Amino acid sequence: MIELNFLTALIIGLTGAGHCISMCGGIAAAVTMGMPDKPQQHWIYLLCYNLGRISAYMIAGLIVSQAVVQAATLSNSSSVLILLRILASIMMIILGLYIGKWWSGLTYIERVGHCLWRYIAPITKYFLPLTSPFKAIPFGFLWGWLPCGLVYSTLTWAAVSGSAINGMTIMLAFGLGTLPAMLAIGTVADKLKLLLQNSYFKRGNALFIIIYGMHTGYIAINQIW
């Protein structure tokens, strides 16, 4: 099951990468500020930035999944986990509807994260300009907490994965899915964005995510009965 979870999270990251490019265009400019005038070195900065960003996703996945495991253990009841799985399936369906451009309700969920982000955002300025690849890692880690409905939806799924390792693995897969687009920022981002925003590509993957979410919810509801 973890293999299918990993694959699905990878697809979510890849399919939603067009959204990532739109949100992170300004970040791309910040990453290139202070870089040496050698294009071959720009990849090192981008890799370090994305290493930090994906690390933030993994830590978030570890924290929420471990918290759910602890809550289920303390309550000594499987009902908590079942209800959270139903919530995760609903979030997956909402995510699929968003990616397929059938409903944009996910944007309302992003607003929740702005409460935390307003405290994190000012800290990122201390690492600019990025005069060293090593500064790009903590810079990327902080930007990994940028309010994003795609991340939140995947996090709810990671939360009910059954263990901290599984939750961290799911978020790693999601991060790796976004990596091609994020590495392409500033080079072939426009062409890649056209591919990722192809209606057939997006809606095909969106349907897969919706079906997977419905399947997850069906299994959870059956456990109640």
Side-chain angles (χ1 to χ4, degrees), residues 13-26 28 98-99 101 177-203:
L14 181 62
T15 308
H19 176 70
C20 294
I21 292 176
S22 299
M23 289 189 66
C24 301
Y98 175 78
I99 290 176
K101 294 187 178 296
T178 66
L179 191 57
M182 295 303 294
L183 287 178
I185 284 179
T187 53
V188 294
D190 291 336
K191 294 181 180 179
L192 184 60
K193 186 176 179 180
L194 288 175
L195 171 64
L196 294 173
Q197 291 185 339
N198 179 278
S199 59
Y200 295 106
F201 175 79
K202 290 176 70 70
R203 290 179 178 176

Side-chain angles (χ1 to χ4, degrees), residues 36 41 44-45 48-49 130-138:
Q41 293 187 18
I44 300 175
Y45 282 77
C48 288
Y49 164 78
L130 296 178
T131 54
S132 162
F134 296 106
K135 292 177 70 174
I137 296 176

Side-chain angles (χ1 to χ4, degrees), residues 7-54:
L7 176 62
T8 306
L10 193 68
I11 291 174
I12 292 172
L14 181 62
T15 308
H19 176 70
C20 294
I21 292 176
S22 299
M23 289 189 66
C24 301
I27 306 173
V31 171
T32 57
M33 286 175 57
M35 283 186 183
D37 191 21
K38 295 180 180 180
Q40 64 270 24
Q41 293 187 18
H42 291 186
W43 289 100
I44 300 175
Y45 282 77
L46 288 171
L47 279 172
C48 288
Y49 164 78
N50 284 285
L51 174 62
R53 181 178 62 86
I54 295 174

Side-chain angles (χ1 to χ4, degrees), residues 45-127:
Y45 282 77
L46 288 171
L47 279 172
C48 288
Y49 164 78
N50 284 285
L51 174 62
R53 181 178 62 86
I54 295 174
S55 296
Y57 297 160
M58 293 173 66
I59 290 176
L62 185 148
I63 292 172
V64 297
S65 54
Q66 183 61 33
V68 168
V69 169
Q70 290 295 331
T73 302
L74 291 174
S75 65
N76 197 27
S77 172
S78 60
S79 60
V80 174
L81 194 56
I82 291 173
L83 290 174
L84 286 173
R85 280 176 180 162
I86 293 174
L87 173 61
S89 70
I90 293 172
M91 289 293 293
M92 290 292 289
I93 293 170
I94 293 174
L95 174 61
L97 292 172
Y98 175 78
I99 290 176
K101 294 187 178 296
W102 295 304
W103 186 53
S104 58
L106 197 63
T107 56
Y108 296 104
I109 299 174
E110 289 182 350
R111 296 176 184 177
V112 177
H114 284 283
C115 297
L116 175 63
W117 179 243
R118 64 182 180 181
Y119 295 105
I120 296 177
I123 304 175
T124 64
K125 298 177 183 178
Y126 291 105
F127 296 96

Side-chain angles (χ1 to χ4, degrees), residues 2 57-66 154-155 157-173:
I2 187 61
Y57 297 160
M58 293 173 66
I59 290 176
L62 185 148
I63 292 172
V64 297
S65 54
Q66 183 61 33
T154 313
L155 268 177
W157 183 24
V160 295
S161 60
S163 73
I165 297 299
N166 288 345
M168 187 169 61
T169 301
I170 286 174
M171 295 309 296
L172 168 63

